[in-house]
Amino acid sequence: MKNLGQEILMVGTGYVGLVTAVGLAELGHTVACNDIDPRRIEDLQNGIPPFLEPGVPELLRKGIDARRLSFSQNLAEAYSGQRYVCVAVQTPIGMDGKTDLSAVHTAVRGIARVVDRPTLVVIKSTVPVDVFSTLSMLPEVIESGHLTFIACPEFLAEGTAMWDFFHPRRTIVGSDNEEYSREIAGLFHGLGGSYVITDAKTAQLIKYSANTFLATRVAFINEISQICDQYSIDAHDVVTALTMDPRVGNTYLNPSIGFGGPCLPKDLAALIQCSTDRGVTTPLLSGVATQNIAHLQYRIDEMVRSLGDGRKVAVLGLSFKPDTDDVRNSFSLTIIQHLLDAGITVHAMDPHAIRAAARFLEHPELRYFDNVLAAAAGTDLQIFFTPWSQFGSLDLDRLAAVVARPNIYDCMRSISQTKAVEAGFAYHGVGQVNGGRTKPTFEVSDNPALH
Ligand code: NAD
């Protein structure tokens, strides 16, 4: 299956496209990248990544210096007869609630127009099940006659994307032609994990199932956290004991505000839509989507109660998770919008994501900061959203000294409750027992084995 040292064309240099291109170049392939965004291409030609992702800047520079990575806005210029063309363009949910495939269609049409020989088109984008039957019917594809579509869904997580590329749990390749699938799998030779060779529809459904399962876990534990609130139980204690059972596993079970970001909500909506198209009702998946929105509102209501009659709030952390500047569908922005709509002044802070957030959210009562103390100064409530590691080492006495009212709402346990209370803060942590009650006993210790 080993198929290294190949020439590859990558269409789309976003989080998936660039990380994959940089990783493939590091494996020894030569990757020509194409994107319709001229500014992005110019930056990449100069070795500047368009987003924050640990490990990318170094490997990008290395690939460029080794002449294994190149960037062009012109697809025809980037094409030099490569047998392998990857598509990693966006697939958002459109206004009609269905997956907007316009970027995929445009990319595929462009590829069909430029290629002049048999070509394997590897779809890295997350696409609806059975989309290849539609792609195959595009006039340009029929006219070209050179394209074979292969599904190779992506499982990277932003913030650890480069690490994920080099340590896949599984590489999934789906097509009607087993030989072609093996060829594509061979491009990733040496990365470890398992190869799964299957048909395209199965590959596409695996991707949706993976993300909707993770979303279900988040919704589940958030529902449990609401029950915990009513009984003054620390939801994190429940999680600690729950995840000791290997049948449960220990990821995506942190009480939170809900799942946002560029993938989980959209892939959940897309799978529900794929199912509806085939007459399948999805009460569980629909319930997950409903729970997620209801839970966000439940937590926002808590924040508003914590604010009381205060009029100024600091929202600390804007990206949907740490180690990325991606704010797409970040609930931080939803919270800010909610506060602004209620006439509250918001000081928004993030170490890396201000530029990205400002593209989505501008308002006379909204100011951006890259420093926690400056953002928190004079505020009545300090909402810690993204759990950036720097928040954990904050000097809480200094923070207490600059705020109007020491009053923390902690979405993801960025701050120690004990230290916050010691520094004089009123503290409300999601999934924690709040309000100064004594913490009930929760002790974990070893029980020696019989043998
Ligand atoms: P993105 O928005 O970061 O990047 C898409 C890129 O494609 C942009 O740079 C855009 O300019 C470019 N593009 C759009 N149309 C083009 C065209 N016709 N020709 C050339 N370039 C074009 O998107 P992303 O986050 O990398 O996601 C890409 C796909 O991968 C989506 O389907 C997504 O669901 C999936 N995915 C994303 C992640 C993630 O964590 N971001 C993880 C797994 C899978």
Side-chain angles (χ1 to χ4, degrees), residues 81-388:
Q82 293 97 332
R83 177 166 170 73
Y84 309 107
V85 181
C86 297
V87 174
V89 301
Q90 69 273 22
T91 51
I93 294 292
M95 297 299 277
D96 58 359
K98 298 186 176 190
T99 301
D100 176 357
L101 285 168
S102 55
V104 174
H105 285 191
T106 307
V108 166
R109 284 196 172 104
I111 294 162
R113 277 195 290 265
V114 302
V115 302
D116 55 10
R117 63 196 77 179
T119 305
L120 302 189
V121 181
V122 182
I123 305 292
K124 296 295 292 171
S125 298
T126 306
V127 286
V129 182
D130 205 17
V131 79
F132 289 179
S133 54
T134 317
L135 296 183
S136 309
M137 295 312 289
L138 293 173
E140 292 84 349
V141 173
I142 294 172
E143 199 178 320
S144 154
H146 286 316
L147 307 191
T148 300
F149 296 103
I150 318 272
C152 184
E154 182 53 60
F155 294 91
L156 63 76
E158 288 177 25
T160 55
M162 215 60 257
W163 195 92
D164 295 340
F165 176 90
F166 289 110
H167 304 88
R169 291 301 176 112
R170 69 286 206 222
T171 302
I172 304 212
V173 188
S175 80
D176 294 341
N177 184 314
E178 213 178 299
E179 281 314 301
Y180 290 164
S181 292
R182 288 183 196 286
E183 239 183 285
I184 298 305
L187 297 175
F188 300 92
H189 178 84
L191 293 181
S194 304
Y195 284 128
V196 178
I197 305 292
T198 181
D199 60 279
K201 285 187 283 189
T202 305
Q204 288 151 356
L205 187 55
I206 290 167
K207 171 64 193 173
Y208 278 138
S209 304
N211 271 6
T212 51
F213 183 64
L214 298 179
T216 303
R217 290 171 68 92
V218 176
F220 167 80
I221 204 61
N222 282 339
E223 200 153 299
I224 295 291
S225 77
Q226 288 193 25
I227 300 170
C228 288
D229 287 351
Q230 297 312 314
Y231 286 96
S232 295
I233 294 168
D234 190 321
H236 300 278
D237 292 347
V238 175
V239 170
T240 301
L242 187 64
T243 57
M244 286 173 178
D245 185 337
R247 294 172 301 177
V248 173
N250 63 5
T251 58
Y252 285 77
L253 280 176
N254 283 320
S256 67
I257 299 294
F259 56 86
C263 292
L264 296 197
K266 135 181 124 54
D267 292 348
L268 178 63
L271 184 55
I272 293 171
Q273 184 62 48
C274 285
S275 313
T276 308
D277 287 348
R278 294 296 170 111
V280 180
T281 53
T282 51
L284 175 64
L285 297 180
S286 303
V288 169
T290 307
Q291 198 285 337
N292 197 43
I293 297 303
H295 183 72
L296 172 65
Q297 189 57 53
Y298 169 90
R299 294 297 177 198
I300 288 177
D301 290 347
E302 276 184 340
M303 293 173 198
V304 170
R305 278 198 298 276
S306 296
L307 178 61
D309 58 2
R311 304 309 297 163
K312 201 180 269 187
V313 175
V315 177
L316 306 156
L318 299 170
S319 56
F320 80 102
K321 63 194 276 196
D323 295 323
T324 176
D325 56 0
D326 197 346
V327 299
R328 288 178 291 179
N329 212 358
S330 169
F331 279 174
S332 180
L333 303 199
T334 317
I335 293 164
I336 292 171
Q337 187 64 63
H338 186 98
L339 294 169
L340 291 170
D341 289 347
I344 311 285
T345 298
V346 179
H347 290 182
M349 178 272 164
D350 195 283
H352 297 283
I354 291 175
R355 212 172 59 162
R359 278 203 294 268
F360 288 96
L361 215 50
E362 288 287 3
H363 191 281
E365 289 303 318
L366 171 64
R367 282 181 65 197
Y368 287 103
F369 297 82
D370 60 7
N371 174 289
V372 176
L373 290 180
T379 58
D380 305 298
L381 175 66
Q382 301 79 46
I383 299 172
F384 283 86
F385 182 82
T386 321
W388 286 104

Side-chain angles (χ1 to χ4, degrees), residues 22 25-26 29-31 44-48 56-71:
V22 160
E26 180 68 9
H29 300 289
T30 301
V31 191
L44 286 167
Q45 286 166 337
N46 291 313
I48 303 167
V56 168
E58 299 78 4
L59 291 185
L60 173 62
R61 172 51 56 204
K62 194 174 164 195
I64 293 172
D65 290 348
R67 297 185 179 281
R68 284 203 296 270
L69 275 177
S70 60
F71 299 92

